[in-house]
Amino acid sequence: MRKGIDVSENNGWIDWKAVKANGIEFAIIRLGYGRGHLDGLFYKNVNEALEAGLKIGAYYYSYALTKADAKAEAEFMMRILEESGLTPGKLEMGVWFDMEDADGYKERHGVTNPLVITGMCNEFIAECNRHGYNCGIYASLDWLENKIFTNVLPEYAPIWCAQWSHICDWHNPAMWQFTDCLKVGNRYFDGDYVFD
């Protein structure tokens, strides 16, 4: 297994050389969220993580309520990636759709039906595929078991399971977010493992 972190502007300024020196091999970096909101530190984190020698991927935090919303989020992500020259080959850790409801936004707007949620996942994946990016789904174990019909996602769509534990109970995940408090030097991050 390889160890990595996932980050957003909420982590503030990151010393990427120190991250690399502490044994971290990759970073999944938030590109944006909602309808057209670019993460304020996306470009900085991408450039400095690559310069430090880490492999990178990108994720998008969804506020979609419909399939059309999810497609619009994917279109925005694809435009940013293509404009910045981040081809699929440069994103060795992949592209990810962050499907959760951490702040209750979806629930407040009545989006709780797994068919609707799964439809949004499929729409985002399909739009990324149209641009040549193989997109995976990030979600908690609870959402993977109860809110997303993973059996109707494309077979090639990898799963990044969030389960803060000593083991990952999801069958055959591509990546596992095992903690939200991985100590790297004097900082704490979300910690991830990739299964090779």
Side-chain angles (χ1 to χ4, degrees), residues 47-63:
N47 291 331
E48 293 182 8
L50 287 171
E51 189 178 288
L54 280 81
K55 295 179 179 181
I56 65 164
Y59 78 92
Y60 202 90
Y61 185 94
S62 180
Y63 279 100

Side-chain angles (χ1 to χ4, degrees), residues 9-128:
E9 64 188 16
N10 297 319
N11 294 100
W13 183 87
I14 298 169
D15 182 344
W16 286 102
K17 289 181 180 175
V19 167
K20 174 71 171 177
N22 278 277
I24 299 301
E25 298 180 61
F26 67 88
I28 314 296
I29 299 166
R30 188 176 74 169
L31 183 144
Y33 58 94
R35 191 144 193 167
H37 298 283
L38 181 68
D39 186 290
L41 293 176
F42 175 69
Y43 294 119
K44 179 182 187 297
N45 283 333
V46 163
N47 291 331
E48 293 182 8
L50 287 171
E51 189 178 288
L54 280 81
K55 295 179 179 181
I56 65 164
Y59 78 92
Y60 202 90
Y61 185 94
S62 180
Y63 279 100
L65 300 175
T66 66
K67 290 198 293 186
D69 290 345
K71 183 178 181 182
E73 290 179 343
E75 288 171 342
F76 177 75
M77 185 177 201
M78 293 298 99
R79 180 169 61 80
I80 296 298
L81 291 177
E82 290 171 354
E83 286 177 358
S84 58
L86 288 169
T87 60
K90 291 183 180 176
L91 295 170
E92 294 183 66
M93 303 311 298
V95 171
W96 302 90
F97 187 44
D98 184 343
M99 177 50 75
E100 56 182 317
D101 197 21
D103 58 4
Y105 180 81
K106 289 180 180 66
E107 187 174 4
R108 288 195 304 276
H109 288 82
V111 178
T112 58
N113 186 324
L115 284 172
V116 174
I117 291 167
T118 304
M120 293 190 293
C121 291
N122 278 325
E123 192 67 33
F124 193 99
I125 289 169
E127 185 62 27
C128 293

